[in-house]
Amino acid sequence: MGAKTPYMDYRQYRAACRLVHECCNYDNGNCILLDNGEPCVCVQSISYSLLCRWFIAAVLPLDGKLEAALLHRAYSLLCRWFIAAVLPLDGKLEAALLHRADRKRCTECGGYFLPKSNRGKYCPDCAGRMKRIRATQRKRKQRDKCHALGYSKPP
């Protein structure tokens, strides 16, 4: 594996140590996930590098500044093939993993998505449906105008 693990400076390390206490798997200095019968020290609380995937996914987003400082190199945490070939297939997962700052919330379903332009309001699933609904409304309004003027179809 050629990916480099991001390292923290002392201030980032202290901030991460404070955040570790917010983790649901943290129990008096031990990690419940790593516990296989005997207590195991939480690796994230004693390391200057980002090692715990749970910490990265669930706890680090609680501190936006620390997350931005550490994860601007998020590509190094994931396999290059996964980023290039698999993530583009699922836009919602790609937005959640790689583009947290760029993602928007869909006004229809409330899910997060990565917009293709700055005008994007809907996720790809809702965009097609909303396009059909707006087209229906537009055509209905157009037909009403036509009939309101007294025009009628020839027999």
Side-chain angles (χ1 to χ4, degrees):
M1 185 170 149
K4 295 180 180 177
T5 306
Y7 288 99
M8 299 180 262
D9 61 17
Y10 183 72
R11 280 189 291 161
Q12 292 171 339
Y13 169 73
R14 294 304 306 154
C17 283
R18 284 190 296 276
L19 273 180
V20 166
H21 295 281
E22 300 296 323
C23 182
C24 63
N25 297 313
Y26 184 82
D27 183 38
N28 295 325
N30 297 322
C31 181
I32 296 172
L33 284 177
L34 299 176
D35 187 3
N36 59 355
E38 54 187 62
C40 183
V41 176
C42 174
V43 293
Q44 194 58 59
S45 65
I46 60 172
S47 175
Y48 274 84
S49 58
L50 287 174
L51 297 174
C52 179
R53 290 182 184 163
W54 184 262
F55 180 82
I56 294 168
V59 181
L60 196 56
L62 296 176
D63 186 350
K65 290 182 182 178
L66 182 61
E67 180 187 28
L70 293 176
L71 291 187
H72 71 279
R73 296 170 277 177
Y75 294 103
S76 66
L77 298 174
L78 300 172
C79 172
R80 289 182 188 157
W81 183 84
F82 181 77
I83 292 170
V86 178
L87 278 183
L89 299 176
D90 187 357
K92 289 183 180 181
L93 180 63
E94 181 181 21
L97 289 178
L98 300 179
H99 306 284
R100 287 186 187 207
D102 301 334
R103 64 186 183 165
K104 285 186 173 181
R105 186 178 286 271
C106 177
T107 57
E108 192 65 23
C109 68
Y112 286 105
F113 72 101
L114 187 61
K116 292 184 177 16
S117 73
N118 64 345
R119 296 177 2 162
K121 283 175 59 175
Y122 306 108
C123 66
D125 298 335
C126 296
R129 187 173 28 136
M130 293 307 294
K131 184 177 178 181
R132 284 192 304 276
I133 290 171
R134 285 193 309 271
T136 303
Q137 291 170 346
R138 184 181 68 251
K139 292 302 278 183
R140 189 171 289 139
K141 183 178 176 182
Q142 182 183 13
R143 289 185 198 113
D144 287 344
K145 280 184 179 179
C146 178
H147 296 289
L149 295 176
Y151 298 114
S152 62
K153 283 185 169 179

